[in-house]
Amino acid sequence: MLSDFYRDTWVEVNLDAITHNVLSMKKHIGEQVDIIAVVKANGYGHGAVQVAKTALDVGASMLAVAFLDEAIALRKAGIDAPILVMGATRPSDVEVAIQFNITLTVFSIDWLMEANQFISSDKVHLHIKVDTGMGRLGVREKDELRRIFSYQESSSHFEIDGIFTHFATADENDSLYFVEQYEKFEELLTTIPHQQLLVHCANSAAALKYQRKLYNAIRLGISMYGLTPSIEMKQELPFELKEAFSLQTKLVHVKKISKGEKVSYGATYEAKEDEWIGTIPIGYADGWIRRLKDFEVLVGNTRAPLVGRICMDQCMVKLPNHIPVGTKVTLIGEQNGHVISIDDVAKRLDTINYEVPCMITLRVPRIFLKNMRIIERVNSILP
Ligand SMILES: *Cc1c(COP(=O)(O)O)cnc(C)c1O
């Protein structure tokens, strides 16, 4: 019989943690503020479809992704909730957005006028992006904002439903730049009639931290997955965040090597005494990159160091004693009271927690748990 995967390496996604984080956030921001669940980049590496369904089930009212392809993938998976594409879409692709009922982002008058040439019948739903200091995408001037609004009023091809901006520093202790952006947003809003629009500015950090008016909705990304937007925010979280993601594998080969024997490419690791070495089937092609050399994993009630260079598909662990083949090895997550968190891996790689689950490639199957039970197993290379 065909099984869903044949490899002893997998990501476990605890959807109960997603539920907890969304519900806690909803309580924190209040009933009148909607949650737009951000599931771009395959739900920050977790699995966009399952996270989206979970978030919608517990009260999120809309989804957001970066690109049109990601939105279409959600539609093809049977999700019919509103979806916003926050990034730039080609003007020539607006008909595709209309076909799948996907809301796009307009970020300049030029984009709008070009898109107009590609719509023959129906209308496309839009949110306006304004740039208040991120310097990435968005309208910067009141005049251009006015022109966008009046252009859509005189056209039958566009329907503006929302307006939003994005903060560059909401996760930092110093709130000066955040306040500048916030005030610029307030100011720009006065330019157009926005009473009927979905107005949103807060990402996870701003929603967690600021008691300021969050308008009609927040865009909840990283903290839906149970991660803190920055290390400096860890001290003062208004509620507990639960990490949904863990990365597991199993020992596939265990042997004793003698003092002086070598391990892996380059033969850079040499046993200082007789040692037990285990092999695990995960490598840099899975996103467990070579820079994680000498990092630790959890196995057999302890922390054990990786030894030798990480290969494309495998790497080696120095075991404290003989541990049988088939024993579970945790690369990210908890095992018998020991924890290796996503933040630990991020620190080791000198990056931010956002990057870590995104790094784990689609070659690694995802297992989804709800009420502590497996509800779905997804193998992207053998769908
Ligand atoms: C990714 C993204 C978000 C989510 O931010 P988090 O810090 O993950 O909550 C919100 N808005 C925009 C425009 C984004 O690109």
PDB file of all heavy atoms in Angstrom, residues 365-382:
ATOM      1  N   PRO A 365       8.098  16.460   5.057  1.00  0.00           N
ATOM      2  CA  PRO A 365       6.639  16.367   5.195  1.00  0.00           C
ATOM      3  C   PRO A 365       6.154  17.109   6.451  1.00  0.00           C
ATOM      4  O   PRO A 365       6.894  17.252   7.412  1.00  0.00           O
ATOM      5  CB  PRO A 365       6.368  14.869   5.337  1.00  0.00           C
ATOM      6  CG  PRO A 365       7.659  14.179   5.192  1.00  0.00           C
ATOM      7  CD  PRO A 365       8.762  15.156   5.148  1.00  0.00           C
ATOM      8  N   ARG A 366       4.923  17.585   6.388  1.00  0.00           N
ATOM      9  CA  ARG A 366       4.297  18.254   7.539  1.00  0.00           C
ATOM     10  C   ARG A 366       3.193  17.357   8.097  1.00  0.00           C
ATOM     11  O   ARG A 366       2.344  16.874   7.329  1.00  0.00           O
ATOM     12  CB  ARG A 366       3.672  19.583   7.099  1.00  0.00           C
ATOM     13  CG  ARG A 366       4.537  20.851   7.238  1.00  0.00           C
ATOM     14  CD  ARG A 366       5.822  20.838   6.487  1.00  0.00           C
ATOM     15  NE  ARG A 366       6.516  22.141   6.525  1.00  0.00           N
ATOM     16  CZ  ARG A 366       7.724  22.356   6.009  1.00  0.00           C
ATOM     17  NH1 ARG A 366       8.397  21.385   5.431  1.00  0.00           N
ATOM     18  NH2 ARG A 366       8.276  23.559   6.075  1.00  0.00           N
ATOM     19  N   ILE A 367       3.195  17.177   9.414  1.00  0.00           N
ATOM     20  CA  ILE A 367       2.126  16.441  10.095  1.00  0.00           C
ATOM     21  C   ILE A 367       1.355  17.445  10.951  1.00  0.00           C
ATOM     22  O   ILE A 367       1.958  18.208  11.698  1.00  0.00           O
ATOM     23  CB  ILE A 367       2.702  15.334  11.004  1.00  0.00           C
ATOM     24  CG1 ILE A 367       3.410  14.273  10.160  1.00  0.00           C
ATOM     25  CG2 ILE A 367       1.606  14.701  11.855  1.00  0.00           C
ATOM     26  CD1 ILE A 367       3.928  13.097  10.979  1.00  0.00           C
ATOM     27  N   PHE A 368       0.020  17.435  10.823  1.00  0.00           N
ATOM     28  CA  PHE A 368      -0.801  18.408  11.547  1.00  0.00           C
ATOM     29  C   PHE A 368      -1.559  17.735  12.673  1.00  0.00           C
ATOM     30  O   PHE A 368      -2.229  16.719  12.457  1.00  0.00           O
ATOM     31  CB  PHE A 368      -1.758  19.097  10.581  1.00  0.00           C
ATOM     32  CG  PHE A 368      -1.028  19.868   9.519  1.00  0.00           C
ATOM     33  CD1 PHE A 368      -0.684  19.263   8.314  1.00  0.00           C
ATOM     34  CD2 PHE A 368      -0.619  21.170   9.748  1.00  0.00           C
ATOM     35  CE1 PHE A 368       0.035  19.959   7.341  1.00  0.00           C
ATOM     36  CE2 PHE A 368       0.099  21.874   8.779  1.00  0.00           C
ATOM     37  CZ  PHE A 368       0.428  21.265   7.575  1.00  0.00           C
ATOM     38  N   LEU A 369      -1.451  18.319  13.873  1.00  0.00           N
ATOM     39  CA  LEU A 369      -2.134  17.772  15.040  1.00  0.00           C
ATOM     40  C   LEU A 369      -3.226  18.710  15.533  1.00  0.00           C
ATOM     41  O   LEU A 369      -3.026  19.930  15.559  1.00  0.00           O
ATOM     42  CB  LEU A 369      -1.149  17.543  16.181  1.00  0.00           C
ATOM     43  CG  LEU A 369      -0.211  16.357  16.009  1.00  0.00           C
ATOM     44  CD1 LEU A 369       1.102  16.808  15.411  1.00  0.00           C
ATOM     45  CD2 LEU A 369       0.007  15.681  17.333  1.00  0.00           C
ATOM     46  N   LYS A 370      -4.359  18.117  15.881  1.00  0.00           N
ATOM     47  CA  LYS A 370      -5.454  18.874  16.477  1.00  0.00           C
ATOM     48  C   LYS A 370      -5.988  18.034  17.622  1.00  0.00           C
ATOM     49  O   LYS A 370      -6.158  16.821  17.455  1.00  0.00           O
ATOM     50  CB  LYS A 370      -6.543  19.092  15.421  1.00  0.00           C
ATOM     51  CG  LYS A 370      -7.419  20.288  15.706  1.00  0.00           C
ATOM     52  CD  LYS A 370      -8.226  20.654  14.460  1.00  0.00           C
ATOM     53  CE  LYS A 370      -8.495  22.142  14.407  1.00  0.00           C
ATOM     54  NZ  LYS A 370      -8.876  22.600  13.087  1.00  0.00           N
ATOM     55  N   ASN A 371      -6.249  18.661  18.762  1.00  0.00           N
ATOM     56  CA  ASN A 371      -6.634  17.908  19.966  1.00  0.00           C
ATOM     57  C   ASN A 371      -5.666  16.754  20.202  1.00  0.00           C
ATOM     58  O   ASN A 371      -6.079  15.637  20.505  1.00  0.00           O
ATOM     59  CB  ASN A 371      -8.065  17.386  19.858  1.00  0.00           C
ATOM     60  CG  ASN A 371      -9.061  18.510  19.691  1.00  0.00           C
ATOM     61  OD1 ASN A 371      -8.895  19.569  20.315  1.00  0.00           O
ATOM     62  ND2 ASN A 371     -10.055  18.329  18.839  1.00  0.00           N
ATOM     63  N   MET A 372      -4.373  17.012  19.989  1.00  0.00           N
ATOM     64  CA  MET A 372      -3.293  16.051  20.226  1.00  0.00           C
ATOM     65  C   MET A 372      -3.310  14.867  19.275  1.00  0.00           C
ATOM     66  O   MET A 372      -2.564  13.919  19.453  1.00  0.00           O
ATOM     67  CB  MET A 372      -3.325  15.511  21.673  1.00  0.00           C
ATOM     68  CG  MET A 372      -3.615  16.525  22.751  1.00  0.00           C
ATOM     69  SD  MET A 372      -2.147  17.489  23.137  1.00  0.00           S
ATOM     70  CE  MET A 372      -1.365  16.369  24.292  1.00  0.00           C
ATOM     71  N   ARG A 373      -4.177  14.892  18.260  1.00  0.00           N
ATOM     72  CA  ARG A 373      -4.222  13.767  17.325  1.00  0.00           C
ATOM     73  C   ARG A 373      -3.857  14.217  15.921  1.00  0.00           C
ATOM     74  O   ARG A 373      -4.147  15.346  15.528  1.00  0.00           O
ATOM     75  CB  ARG A 373      -5.625  13.136  17.301  1.00  0.00           C
ATOM     76  CG  ARG A 373      -6.083  12.729  18.682  1.00  0.00           C
ATOM     77  CD  ARG A 373      -7.514  12.360  18.659  1.00  0.00           C
ATOM     78  NE  ARG A 373      -7.725  11.087  17.976  1.00  0.00           N
ATOM     79  CZ  ARG A 373      -8.736  10.299  18.276  1.00  0.00           C
ATOM     80  NH1 ARG A 373      -9.591  10.644  19.218  1.00  0.00           N
ATOM     81  NH2 ARG A 373      -8.913   9.179  17.628  1.00  0.00           N
ATOM     82  N   ILE A 374      -3.241  13.307  15.177  1.00  0.00           N
ATOM     83  CA  ILE A 374      -2.865  13.621  13.804  1.00  0.00           C
ATOM     84  C   ILE A 374      -4.126  13.725  12.949  1.00  0.00           C
ATOM     85  O   ILE A 374      -4.932  12.802  12.905  1.00  0.00           O
ATOM     86  CB  ILE A 374      -1.935  12.534  13.223  1.00  0.00           C
ATOM     87  CG1 ILE A 374      -0.609  12.519  13.993  1.00  0.00           C
ATOM     88  CG2 ILE A 374      -1.699  12.761  11.725  1.00  0.00           C
ATOM     89  CD1 ILE A 374       0.327  11.389  13.614  1.00  0.00           C
ATOM     90  N   ILE A 375      -4.315  14.875  12.283  1.00  0.00           N
ATOM     91  CA  ILE A 375      -5.477  15.021  11.405  1.00  0.00           C
ATOM     92  C   ILE A 375      -5.096  15.029   9.930  1.00  0.00           C
ATOM     93  O   ILE A 375      -5.931  14.818   9.064  1.00  0.00           O
ATOM     94  CB  ILE A 375      -6.317  16.279  11.727  1.00  0.00           C
ATOM     95  CG1 ILE A 375      -5.478  17.561  11.601  1.00  0.00           C
ATOM     96  CG2 ILE A 375      -6.943  16.182  13.111  1.00  0.00           C
ATOM     97  CD1 ILE A 375      -6.331  18.770  11.280  1.00  0.00           C
ATOM     98  N   GLU A 376      -3.817  15.297   9.647  1.00  0.00           N
ATOM     99  CA  GLU A 376      -3.420  15.323   8.237  1.00  0.00           C
ATOM    100  C   GLU A 376      -1.910  15.168   8.114  1.00  0.00           C
ATOM    101  O   GLU A 376      -1.160  15.618   8.982  1.00  0.00           O
ATOM    102  CB  GLU A 376      -3.856  16.660   7.616  1.00  0.00           C
ATOM    103  CG  GLU A 376      -3.941  16.613   6.105  1.00  0.00           C
ATOM    104  CD  GLU A 376      -4.459  17.916   5.490  1.00  0.00           C
ATOM    105  OE1 GLU A 376      -5.044  18.744   6.211  1.00  0.00           O
ATOM    106  OE2 GLU A 376      -4.242  18.085   4.273  1.00  0.00           O
ATOM    107  N   ARG A 377      -1.475  14.497   7.047  1.00  0.00           N
ATOM    108  CA  ARG A 377      -0.057  14.346   6.760  1.00  0.00           C
ATOM    109  C   ARG A 377       0.164  14.803   5.331  1.00  0.00           C
ATOM    110  O   ARG A 377      -0.486  14.320   4.418  1.00  0.00           O
ATOM    111  CB  ARG A 377       0.355  12.875   6.923  1.00  0.00           C
ATOM    112  CG  ARG A 377       0.221  12.374   8.357  1.00  0.00           C
ATOM    113  CD  ARG A 377      -0.046  10.875   8.419  1.00  0.00           C
ATOM    114  NE  ARG A 377       1.038  10.088   7.865  1.00  0.00           N
ATOM    115  CZ  ARG A 377       2.038   9.566   8.585  1.00  0.00           C
ATOM    116  NH1 ARG A 377       2.094   9.769   9.894  1.00  0.00           N
ATOM    117  NH2 ARG A 377       2.981   8.867   8.007  1.00  0.00           N
ATOM    118  N   VAL A 378       1.057  15.774   5.152  1.00  0.00           N
ATOM    119  CA  VAL A 378       1.258  16.344   3.813  1.00  0.00           C
ATOM    120  C   VAL A 378       2.695  16.105   3.352  1.00  0.00           C
ATOM    121  O   VAL A 378       3.647  16.548   3.985  1.00  0.00           O
ATOM    122  CB  VAL A 378       0.946  17.867   3.800  1.00  0.00           C
ATOM    123  CG1 VAL A 378       1.275  18.456   2.441  1.00  0.00           C
ATOM    124  CG2 VAL A 378      -0.512  18.118   4.155  1.00  0.00           C
ATOM    125  N   ASN A 379       2.803  15.406   2.242  1.00  0.00           N
ATOM    126  CA  ASN A 379       4.103  15.186   1.614  1.00  0.00           C
ATOM    127  C   ASN A 379       4.109  15.929   0.286  1.00  0.00           C
ATOM    128  O   ASN A 379       3.473  15.509  -0.667  1.00  0.00           O
ATOM    129  CB  ASN A 379       4.292  13.669   1.403  1.00  0.00           C
ATOM    130  CG  ASN A 379       5.585  13.355   0.675  1.00  0.00           C
ATOM    131  OD1 ASN A 379       6.351  14.250   0.329  1.00  0.00           O
ATOM    132  ND2 ASN A 379       5.816  12.086   0.439  1.00  0.00           N
ATOM    133  N   SER A 380       4.827  17.028   0.214  1.00  0.00           N
ATOM    134  CA  SER A 380       4.770  17.879  -0.978  1.00  0.00           C
ATOM    135  C   SER A 380       5.487  17.286  -2.173  1.00  0.00           C
ATOM    136  O   SER A 380       5.243  17.711  -3.307  1.00  0.00           O
ATOM    137  CB  SER A 380       5.347  19.250  -0.673  1.00  0.00           C
ATOM    138  OG  SER A 380       4.579  19.871   0.318  1.00  0.00           O
ATOM    139  N   ILE A 381       6.406  16.342  -1.966  1.00  0.00           N
ATOM    140  CA  ILE A 381       7.092  15.786  -3.135  1.00  0.00           C
ATOM    141  C   ILE A 381       6.401  14.545  -3.667  1.00  0.00           C
ATOM    142  O   ILE A 381       6.716  14.071  -4.743  1.00  0.00           O
ATOM    143  CB  ILE A 381       8.599  15.502  -2.881  1.00  0.00           C
ATOM    144  CG1 ILE A 381       8.804  14.513  -1.735  1.00  0.00           C
ATOM    145  CG2 ILE A 381       9.352  16.779  -2.657  1.00  0.00           C
ATOM    146  CD1 ILE A 381      10.238  14.041  -1.683  1.00  0.00           C
ATOM    147  N   LEU A 382       5.442  14.025  -2.914  1.00  0.00           N
ATOM    148  CA  LEU A 382       4.689  12.861  -3.378  1.00  0.00           C
ATOM    149  C   LEU A 382       3.207  13.124  -3.087  1.00  0.00           C
ATOM    150  O   LEU A 382       2.594  12.459  -2.267  1.00  0.00           O
ATOM    151  CB  LEU A 382       5.179  11.626  -2.624  1.00  0.00           C
ATOM    152  CG  LEU A 382       4.813  10.243  -3.130  1.00  0.00           C
ATOM    153  CD1 LEU A 382       5.328  10.011  -4.529  1.00  0.00           C
ATOM    154  CD2 LEU A 382       5.379   9.190  -2.186  1.00  0.00           C
TER     155      LEU A 382
END
